[in-house]
């Protein structure tokens, strides 16, 4: 039976893109629910300067209080050596790094050229991997850049190779503003594989800004990709187009893969419950499609229990 | 260059599932915008008893006032011969019929067995096609039934064959409650083709209730399907799970196909503008993904014009 690994990023990439600061205790509750659901890889925080990302300022405290969970890897994003040191201090054993395939995006995001970023990350990744830590190296704007537009896969190949040579276990191809589309995704994955990058070292991180997250994941799966990021219930809006959706939803991915007979190791019902908790904590309706369906069903089942005649009756109409 | 035909159903299937009665004049404005966008097939209304579907009670008036549009086919749903006669009276030249692949769903929906429905539709379709009208015969619950669960494709095959033999131009395979998933979709399309039903007589109508509308369309396209229903901006919620999404969105489909190098004949920007109009008319945020992105971009472009320093500045945080 085919298998995929789902990496849930809601507590870091999700929360980083929501204008709410959640209490550490709430994040821990959600982390525990994600663990119960069966997620083996959970991105929990980022060790950047707290002033820059208030939502993740509790990074060290959060990590220290994470549940003991056999076989579960908790991941933290680190921008540099200082962040890595703080992460190790706190007890993190698995880190994510990031840089862009696009020069302009890299410059605007981290104020460095691609070459400078690679040099810096080679040291950070080298340091982490020499301490037997897990390392996922994210490459942003692989499928398009909000500044440069199209990004040829030929820009991504040498970056991916360099990051893996530096000691990263996996390169994660990020569709930062949801510009990816399925045939392009197939071409990118196929090209990387043709260039010698093994499928078991390629992860995908899709955004749903234009509705393509799920079809892109399907297309990548057809090319042999087996590692996918998701954010519970699609937490994490798009900073470039406020009001549009951002992260692809974990539950949507899990639902699709299960329907395809592909094992994720995750209990979809419990995963959806984590989404319910996140939605309540954030105080806004989250966009994940399966999430919305699951909540609607739950609501319907409850009203059926309370009032046997509920569900019948006339729709009320408004005249516009 | 590959081509697909997009059939927009927002004014009928969409509005039938919204609790708002729009004025005829508003519907006509939207119809005109859809025509400008380049849609060649637009489902505009249904000739069912007005009491049953108040949103479409203006069927005859609407049809009489439709714009003259060379090469555009306006479609109406008809439940029976009476409905067909009223449609013809009003000036309709293209009709849609419907029945279910599932006995239980058919019984609950139209109070007949599948066999009785087929007998009745054979007469209606025969009558319409003998008058050189276009006929699309919808089959609901092809990919799953809310009552029966799985629906084997072997139930759909003889129904499809009978409807085409009766004179339907196309059978449209409906995923009524969004239970379809991509490998299943491939299997259904492939099986129908293997059973002698030509691809140019197969249409698909997906729902996005569980987030799978676009990936299902992609999967069907991979099997050679070229006719797809969409509803502008995903108008038309799911009556079975209030709060969940319903119809797949036309703009999401168009965006994906264009990105794949597939021609739809539609101007996506004008299509999105029709969605903006619908959203304003209905007074609720519509769920189509590309639609939300397009509106967000439009909003952002406007505030950039008004206030050059807008877009910079700090995000306001709430503490939850």
């Amino acid at each position: 039976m085919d298998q995929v690994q789902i990496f849930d990023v809601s507590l870091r990439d999700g929360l980083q893109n929501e204008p709410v600061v959640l209490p550490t205790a709430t994040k821990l509750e959600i982390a525990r629910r994600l663990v119960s659901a069966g997620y083996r890889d959970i991105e929990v925080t980022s060790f950047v300067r707290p002033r820059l990302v208030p939502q993740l300022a509790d990074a060290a405290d959060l990590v220290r209080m994470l549940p003991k969970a056999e076989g579960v890897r908790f991941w933290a994003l680190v921008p540099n050596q200082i962040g890595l040191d703080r992460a190790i201090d706190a007890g993190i054993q698995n880190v994510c790094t990031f840089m862009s395939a696009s020069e302009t995006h890299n410059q605007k995001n981290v104020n460095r050229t691609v070459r400078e970023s690679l040099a810096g990350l080679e040291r950070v990744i080298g340091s982490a991997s020499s301490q037997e830590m897990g390392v996922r190296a994210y490459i942003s704007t692989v499928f398009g850049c909000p500044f440069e537009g199209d990004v040829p896969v030929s820009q991504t190949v040498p970056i991916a190779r360099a990051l893996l040579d530096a000691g990263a276990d996996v390169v994660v191809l990020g569709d930062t503003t949801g510009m990816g589309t399925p045939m392009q995704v197939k071409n990118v994955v196929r090209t990387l594989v043709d260039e010698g990058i093994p499928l078991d070292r390629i992860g995908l991180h899709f955004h749903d800004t234009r509705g393509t997250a799920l079809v892109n994941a399907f297309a990548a799966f057809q090319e042999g990709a087996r590692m996918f990021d998701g954010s519970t219930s699609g937490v994490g809006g798009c900073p470039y187009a406020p009001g549009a959706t951002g992260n692809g939803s974990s539950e949507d991915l899990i639902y699709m893969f299960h329907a395809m007979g592909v094992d994720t190791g995750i209990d979809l019902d419990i995963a959806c419950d984590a989404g319910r908790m996140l939605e309540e904590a954030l105080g806004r309706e989250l966009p994940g499609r399966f999430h919305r369906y699951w909540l609607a069903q739950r609501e319907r089942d409850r009203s059926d229990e309370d009032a046997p005649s509920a569900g019948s009756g006339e729709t009320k109409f408004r005249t516009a």
Side-chain angles (χ1 to χ4, degrees), chain A:
Chain A
M1 190 187 205
D2 253 320
Q3 289 185 326
V4 297
Q5 272 176 276
I6 307 288
F7 290 71
D8 190 87
V9 303
S10 48
L11 292 173
R12 198 288 300 172
D13 192 15
L15 294 187
Q16 179 157 343
N17 288 297
E18 296 281 334
V20 179
V21 180
L22 292 188
T24 310
T26 305
K27 294 184 189 184
L28 286 165
E29 272 194 75
I30 291 161
R32 282 191 290 268
R33 193 59 52 90
L34 293 173
V35 169
S36 306
Y39 288 98
R40 294 298 186 110
D41 293 279
I42 303 170
E43 192 188 34
V44 293
T45 195
S46 179
F47 286 87
V48 294
R49 266 175 296 180
R51 188 174 50 79
L52 287 182
V53 188
Q55 305 95 314
L56 308 176
D58 63 345
D61 289 338
L62 175 69
V63 170
R64 285 192 191 104
M65 294 193 274
L66 286 170
K68 296 269 165 281
E70 195 79 30
V72 175
R73 288 170 292 272
F74 294 113
W75 296 79
L77 191 67
V78 297
N80 49 34
Q81 188 69 45
I82 293 171
L84 175 62
D85 292 340
R86 291 179 51 216
I88 293 169
D89 253 4
I92 281 287
Q93 295 175 299
N94 299 281
V95 292
C96 307
T97 63
F98 60 93
M99 62 173 289
S100 309
S102 143
E103 280 287 355
T104 313
H105 185 266
N106 205 60
Q107 195 70 44
K108 287 188 182 282
N109 212 29
V110 294
N111 205 23
R112 285 178 182 71
T113 64
V114 163
R115 174 177 287 199
E116 288 166 342
S117 275
L118 266 175
L121 288 184
E122 274 155 15
R123 288 190 293 275
V124 173
I125 293 172
S127 177
S129 81
S130 70
Q131 300 177 66
E132 315 266 305
M133 297 177 75
V135 180
R136 309 185 87 218
Y138 279 75
I139 309 174
S140 312
T141 66
V142 169
F143 303 96
C145 171
F147 309 106
E148 291 187 7
D150 286 335
V151 176
V153 59
S154 54
Q155 277 174 227
T156 298
V157 173
I159 296 170
R161 213 181 259 127
L163 293 166
L164 293 172
D165 288 347
D169 300 293
V170 168
V171 287
V172 185
L173 313 177
D175 187 21
T176 309
T177 50
M179 294 166 72
T181 55
M183 300 315 289
Q184 174 202 28
V185 166
K186 281 172 169 290
N187 180 53
V188 167
V189 174
R190 203 179 295 147
T191 303
L192 286 171
V193 170
D194 289 349
E195 294 280 346
I197 292 165
L199 282 164
D200 65 357
R201 300 184 79 185
I202 297 172
L204 282 309
H205 177 107
F206 291 118
H207 276 208
D208 204 38
T209 315
R210 294 169 183 75
T212 56
L214 205 62
V215 68
N216 285 342
F218 180 76
F221 179 87
Q222 288 187 319
E223 297 303 319
R226 293 293 181 269
M227 286 184 276
F228 297 91
D229 283 11
S231 184
T232 294
S233 303
V235 170
C238 178
Y240 293 90
T245 42
N247 284 311
S249 147
S250 297
E251 302 97 303
D252 290 3
L253 280 172
I254 296 160
Y255 170 71
M256 179 182 74
F257 283 125
H258 287 185
M260 292 165 59
V262 175
D263 183 43
T264 64
I266 292 161
D267 181 316
L268 181 54
D269 209 51
I270 302 177
C272 288
D273 199 50
R276 176 196 60 77
M277 294 170 67
L278 249 176
E279 177 158 302
E280 279 169 25
L282 290 169
R284 77 164 183 113
E285 279 198 2
L286 295 177
R289 292 291 160 129
F290 196 86
H291 161 79
R292 293 245 64 76
Y293 163 75
W294 185 87
L295 286 178
Q297 282 294 99
R298 201 162 169 272
E299 193 48 49
R300 205 177 101 145
D301 293 345
R302 286 184 170 188
S303 61
D304 281 354
E305 282 164 21
D306 296 340
S309 64
S312 60
E314 312 238 320
T315 309
K316 303 267 181 296
F317 292 101
R318 290 192 292 108
T319 305

